[in-house]
Amino acid sequence: MAPVDGVNGAPPPLSGKKRRIGVMTSGGDAPGMNGVVRAVVRMSISKGCEAYGIYEGYEGLVQGGDLIRQMYWEDVRGYLSEGGTLIGTARCKAFTQRPGRLRAAKNMIMNGIDALIICGGDGSLTGADIFRAEWQGLLKELVDTKELAAEQVEPFKHLNIVGLVGSIDNDMSSTDATIGCYSSLGRICEAVDYIDATAFSHQRAFVIEVMGRHCGWLALMAGVSTGADFIFIPEKPPADNWEKQMCDIISKHRKLGKRKTIVIVAEGAHDLHLNKISPTQVKDLLTDQLKLDTRITTLGHVQRGGNACAYDRMLSTLQGVEAVEAVLNATPETPTPVIAIIENKIVRKPLMEAVKLTHGVAEAIEAKDFDRAMGLRGAEFKEYYMAYMTTTATDQPHLWLPKEKHMRIAIIHVGAPAGGMNSATRAAVAYCLTRGHTPIAIHNGFPGLCRHHDDKPLGAVREVKWLDVEGWISKGGSEIGTNRSLPSEDMEQTAKCFEQYKFDGLFVIGGFEAFTAVGELRKARKDYPAFNIPIVILPATISNNVPGTEYSIGSDTCLNALVSYCDAIKQSASATRRRVFVVETQGGRSGYIATIAGLSIGATAVYTPEEGIDIKMLSRDIEHLRESFANDKGQNRAGKLILRNEHASKTYTTELIANMIREESKGRFESRLAVPGHVQQGGTPSPMDRVRAVRLAVKCMQFIEDYSGKSRDEIMADEMSAAVIGIKGARVAFSGMAQLEREETDWKDRRPKHEFWIGLKTMIDTLSGRPKESACCPSCGKS
């Protein structure tokens, strides 16, 4: 509790713009909530404010006492890797009534708290806004009833509240993702991947029920990322003849040779007349009409548990920091904001507007206005639904283009493997077949095209059928093979192959090598007319270093692998209490992976190629470690991690840094190095990489399709005919290669000139307590 004013019995407000900020988790728990608490506590302290944990949600606010406690820097150590919410959450009927809110207001004033940051669902955030709206009246009532004196409430006339959405359902409008939703989706995908294997073995059908009483996001994304045969979501019920429609699709898939069937049902699924569709109903249909051996699996609270994935750790940290900034920027007139993310950009939105839109979805469903319900979910939700419907069943004659618009579209992987390459390829093939195009896979990159295109009995250039790729959605690596070689190694032969196989479009999936390869093809157009076709790159690389995008397929898979690896190492480091691990990350000459992983695990320091390493930096960090361990009074979770990108310095290698730390520690703590290596590239693609691969691949096919019927001269004259698809801030956009090569590419270091994540390094340093250069002695590194 804050120091109490001897006269008033309540603590005086802090000086200037400093605030006492309460942080609370409310409603259902969600992975990532602990990341919010950590970020709010440490950012508040770094800004000179005080942070208070309100335990057990609104119940703690109403009860007061020990349920409202000041939190210090070390209190949130290790929070990032923990699931659920360590400060608790509880349903609180008392807060829904004015007397309960009156007690909550008194408890806040008695603790000197003048701002609240709340992480919860729409119900929790609505309650918070009501609380703020009533604040003046509550204070007046406390004075009138002599619960508090007028001078006690005078400094606390204005209450600022900031909301963050913690919900596994991703059911809040105005944001693309809520804290916890991708962790929950990961649990579902993992379960379905396991079920997939047994379903294939026995040729079984499985009906899987997932959470989502009023929102179908989990069911939709699970359908996209597992290649489910059919899905049921509340926002878009199936047609009146859904039983026949579902059985026809599944029957066609079986006739094509598919051995397994997966149907995903949201718990709130219903038909067009709002009659519930249950997993048992679906099972009986598959068993009775199609004679399939069918099982039901209800995942239940498995979806809610476990630690947070890398994305939810990053999102909760970024939003927690933004929430503190919003509190400090607020005026008495500022509407209550909710911190949201649109594509890749953290934004503030009016809370009650977002809540109104969210409630509007339920109202639209109740009114059977399903088009409006889909519209209120946002453009991204609708795009994913259309991508799923286009790619789940290829035999859809009504979607075929006229024959003269059919194209022969080549698909090639270039560069190192990345999780999601196969998901993108599967989506591209499915889209092509649905629209009447001919998808052609080029195996083993440009060398495969030039040297082995006509090998017998099977060449490297092959037309692809649906069954060839149907099972690729969850496969890591590259099923058609990938290669770093460039077309310039034999440009003439590359052009001949383009002519021989009559390519009308080229879809390139890969990293910086893919970017370089398309640049070479574009520049060679004047000499080789075969390259005057639409060419588009879908960036896929763990390094996330392709110009024209802030996100690359595979980077999220890499981050999850690296975060899991670091969690295990940190457990070892914490068990011995006084141990530092220096972990070497991949990422080429881009520090993206090291930086985002550092943000997600709470690294003590991160070394990147962009910033480099020098002796003074190491001296400061070693001194910081000395001070940190000296002040460690036996706390648990005391292990430290330092991340170093593989190209951060030619001189200061990972081993050398670990040895320097060990030598300079003088026996007070230990140091070890760890190199996860290619573990970061392999493994099953993350749900985010899968769903984004599908969505972006479909957009790429539509991009190529738009050039159908254009002459080669028209295509060559169009700078956008060779392009990169990317997420840039709050939008998905195509960028012309010529402009990217000319203005946005750092060719020497193989990365964009302007990397959006650079500013996050400062945030890592702030949240880890790493001292700033200006605050340290130049010679000894002491702060």
Side-chain angles (χ1 to χ4, degrees):
M1 186 178 284
V4 174
D5 186 307
V7 177
N8 295 330
L14 298 176
S15 60
K17 286 192 172 183
K18 295 176 182 178
R19 314 290 290 275
R20 289 192 183 92
I21 301 172
V23 60
M24 178 173 76
T25 54
S26 179
D29 65 295
M33 282 183 162
N34 292 319
V36 170
V37 177
R38 173 184 179 270
V40 169
V41 168
R42 292 197 169 179
M43 192 65 181
S44 298
I45 293 170
S46 74
K47 292 285 188 179
C49 301
E50 292 177 5
Y52 285 76
I54 299 168
Y55 289 72
E56 313 305 337
Y58 283 114
E59 187 67 29
L61 202 58
V62 172
Q63 296 296 331
D66 285 343
L67 295 179
I68 301 177
R69 304 200 290 269
Q70 186 169 356
M71 297 188 78
Y72 300 95
W73 192 272
E74 294 300 329
D75 291 340
V76 293
R77 179 191 284 178
Y79 264 42
L80 272 171
S81 60
E82 297 290 336
T85 166
L86 293 174
I87 63 172
T89 180
R91 306 287 178 191
C92 181
K93 286 187 178 179
F95 193 79
T96 64
Q97 305 297 320
R98 185 175 174 87
R101 294 194 288 274
L102 197 67
R103 288 166 62 194
K106 181 180 178 182
N107 287 329
M108 285 187 61
I109 289 172
M110 293 305 293
N111 284 277
I113 298 170
D114 50 9
L116 266 182
I117 294 174
I118 300 169
C119 182
D122 65 315
S124 301
L125 300 181
T126 301
D129 198 68
I130 291 170
F131 189 44
R132 184 189 179 191
E134 292 181 348
W135 184 252
Q136 298 281 348
L138 293 171
L139 297 192
K140 184 177 184 303
E141 188 172 338
L142 287 169
V143 173
D144 290 346
T145 58
K146 303 198 183 316
E147 288 277 329
L148 293 174
E151 55 269 27
Q152 283 179 288
V153 303
E154 180 63 31
F156 303 100
K157 276 190 173 178
H158 303 291
L159 171 67
N160 286 114
I161 288 177
V162 177
L164 295 91
V165 192
S167 167
I168 66 167
D169 293 332
N170 198 15
D171 54 357
M172 178 68 84
S173 295
S174 301
T175 186
D176 286 346
T178 57
I179 293 164
C181 70
Y182 275 102
S183 298
S184 180
L185 181 60
R187 307 282 178 274
I188 294 169
C189 289
E190 187 176 30
V192 175
D193 288 348
Y194 291 155
I195 287 168
D196 220 44
T198 189
F200 182 90
S201 301
H202 297 276
Q203 299 193 57
R204 282 185 179 141
F206 275 84
V207 182
I208 298 165
E209 185 180 55
V210 301
M211 287 185 173
R213 195 170 302 136
H214 303 295
C215 178
W217 188 87
L218 283 174
L220 172 59
M221 294 303 173
V224 172
S225 53
T226 63
D229 296 85
F230 209 82
I231 62 169
F232 294 92
I233 61 174
E235 297 89 344
K236 192 74 173 175
D240 275 331
N241 65 336
W242 67 266
E243 296 94 339
K244 182 179 184 303
Q245 183 187 31
M246 179 186 72
C247 289
D248 285 349
I249 287 174
I250 291 170
S251 182
K252 283 175 185 175
H253 287 175
R254 289 282 177 159
K255 285 174 183 174
L256 285 169
K258 194 173 179 184
R259 289 175 58 89
K260 59 185 172 60
T261 298
I262 301 290
V263 177
I264 309 280
V265 183
E267 61 181 329
H270 51 75
D271 63 17
L272 285 169
H273 309 288
L274 304 184
N275 299 311
K276 182 173 175 57
I277 296 175
S278 69
T280 303
Q281 197 177 349
V282 176
K283 172 191 176 290
D284 290 344
L285 275 167
L286 298 180
T287 302
D288 298 340
Q289 294 195 21
L290 298 183
K291 309 302 178 188
L292 295 177
D293 182 6
T294 309
R295 302 284 192 274
I296 294 174
T297 299
T298 301
L299 297 180
H301 281 73
V302 165
Q303 298 161 81
R304 194 180 287 284
N307 56 2
C309 67
Y311 180 82
D312 279 329
R313 297 186 195 196
M314 177 190 72
L315 181 64
S316 61
T317 301
L318 295 179
Q319 291 194 342
V321 167
E322 182 67 15
V324 174
E325 295 285 2
V327 164
L328 298 179
N329 295 341
T331 67
E333 295 75 34
T334 305
T336 301
V338 63
I339 310 300
I341 185 166
I342 305 297
E343 296 296 355
N344 217 35
K345 187 176 178 63
I346 301 292
V347 295
R348 301 175 194 174
K349 294 287 187 82
L351 171 61
M352 292 317 294
E353 185 179 310
V355 169
K356 185 179 178 183
L357 290 171
T358 302
H359 290 169
V361 177
E363 291 163 5
I365 291 171
E366 193 65 31
K368 301 179 186 176
D369 188 350
F370 302 114
D371 287 340
R372 182 166 175 266
M374 288 291 286
L376 288 170
R377 281 283 176 235
E380 186 186 56
F381 188 92
K382 201 168 182 178
E383 278 184 21
Y384 276 119
Y385 179 79
M386 295 309 297
Y388 172 77
M389 295 304 293
T390 306
T391 59
T392 190
T394 57
D395 185 12
Q396 302 183 64
H398 65 285
L399 292 177
W400 269 46
L401 292 172
K403 197 166 185 179
E404 63 273 14
K405 287 187 171 291
H406 290 179
M407 304 174 77
R408 291 172 57 81
I409 299 176
I411 303 167
I412 188 170
H413 296 178
V414 181
M421 279 182 155
N422 294 318
S423 307
T425 303
R426 176 187 179 275
V429 168
Y431 184 88
C432 286
L433 295 173
T434 301
R435 302 286 279 170
H437 305 307
T438 302
I440 303 159
I442 299 173
H443 289 251
N444 302 315
F446 284 104
L449 174 68
C450 294
R451 300 173 203 159
H452 305 290
H453 64 95
D454 57 357
D455 284 4
K456 304 298 180 188
L458 200 60
V461 180
R462 307 173 201 166
E463 292 187 12
V464 192
K465 306 300 180 190
W466 169 237
L467 202 61
D468 296 336
V469 300
E470 190 281 322
W472 288 10
I473 189 74
S474 60
K475 288 193 173 183
S478 167
E479 289 293 305
I480 65 172
T482 184
N483 196 292
R484 294 179 185 271
S485 297
L486 300 172
S488 55
E489 293 180 17
D490 195 341
M491 193 67 81
E492 186 173 343
Q493 182 60 32
T494 302
K496 284 180 180 177
C497 288
F498 272 48
E499 288 285 6
Q500 181 178 339
Y501 293 100
K502 298 181 171 58
F503 296 156
D504 297 314
L506 180 65
F507 180 37
V508 185
I509 305 171
F512 201 87
E513 288 86 358
F515 181 82
T516 306
V518 172
E520 290 181 354
L521 294 175
R522 183 190 67 79
K523 291 169 186 170
R525 279 174 165 176
K526 61 182 182 299
D527 299 318
Y528 301 100
F531 301 147
N532 290 329
I533 59 175
I535 304 173
V536 62
I537 305 167
L538 173 54
T541 165
I542 68 167
S543 304
N544 196 23
N545 63 338
V546 178
T549 187
E550 295 175 5
Y551 167 85
S552 299
I553 302 298
S555 59
D556 187 65
T557 301
C558 172
L559 283 168
N560 279 313
L562 187 55
V563 164
S564 295
Y565 181 91
C566 289
D567 279 352
I569 283 177
K570 198 164 188 177
Q571 195 173 57
S572 168
S574 297
T576 60
R577 279 191 46 233
R578 296 179 178 276
R579 179 172 287 174
V580 181
F581 271 95
V582 184
V583 181
E584 181 174 289
T585 73
Q586 292 188 335
R589 292 183 177 85
S590 168
Y592 172 82
I593 287 296
T595 300
I596 303 302
L599 197 68
S600 303
I601 64 168
T604 299
V606 175
Y607 301 134
T608 64
E610 289 83 355
E611 188 178 25
I613 308 174
D614 60 45
I615 192 65
K616 290 182 179 179
M617 181 188 295
L618 289 173
S619 177
R620 289 194 303 274
D621 289 338
I622 291 170
E623 186 57 36
H624 173 54
L625 288 170
R626 280 202 202 100
E627 291 175 3
S628 180
F629 282 117
N631 294 329
D632 174 17
K633 306 266 191 268
Q635 292 106 322
N636 60 0
R637 299 192 284 259
K640 308 286 186 189
L641 291 186
I642 292 174
L643 300 188
R644 176 193 173 274
N645 169 278
E646 59 190 341
H647 293 295
S649 170
K650 289 181 180 178
T651 304
Y652 298 107
T653 64
T654 306
E655 184 177 9
L656 178 59
I657 292 171
N659 289 340
M660 288 176 69
I661 293 171
R662 185 184 304 115
E663 181 68 24
E664 293 298 321
S665 71
K666 307 298 183 189
R668 293 174 195 162
F669 51 91
E670 298 177 356
S671 175
R672 298 281 190 276
L673 69 90
V675 184
H678 283 73
V679 165
Q680 298 162 80
Q681 282 186 12
T684 303
S686 73
M688 174 175 281
D689 279 333
R690 296 190 211 182
V691 297
R692 283 190 168 176
V694 171
R695 179 190 178 205
L696 298 178
V698 167
K699 281 182 170 287
C700 288
M701 292 302 99
Q702 292 167 341
F703 172 89
I704 290 173
E705 203 174 63
D706 286 343
Y707 284 88
S708 176
K710 290 192 176 181
S711 70
R712 295 205 165 183
D713 286 344
E714 286 177 303
I715 292 170
M716 184 175 177
D718 184 354
E719 276 208 349
M720 284 299 296
S721 63
V724 175
I725 190 172
I727 293 175
K728 302 177 94 171
R731 63 195 178 94
V732 174
F734 289 93
S735 303
M737 280 293 298
Q739 183 254 331
L740 290 176
E741 293 173 67
R742 188 172 57 247
E743 299 174 16
E744 297 186 28
T745 305
D746 178 346
W747 290 100
K748 175 178 170 289
D749 289 319
R750 294 164 49 89
R751 64 193 184 210
K753 283 183 179 177
H754 307 290
E755 295 175 294
F756 77 99
W757 51 267
I758 287 290
L760 299 180
K761 283 282 275 91
T762 303
M763 190 183 298
I764 295 172
D765 294 346
T766 299
L767 297 179
S768 70
R770 189 185 186 193
K772 296 178 181 177
E773 182 179 359
S774 58
C776 296
C777 171
S779 56
C780 70
K782 288 185 178 181
S783 56

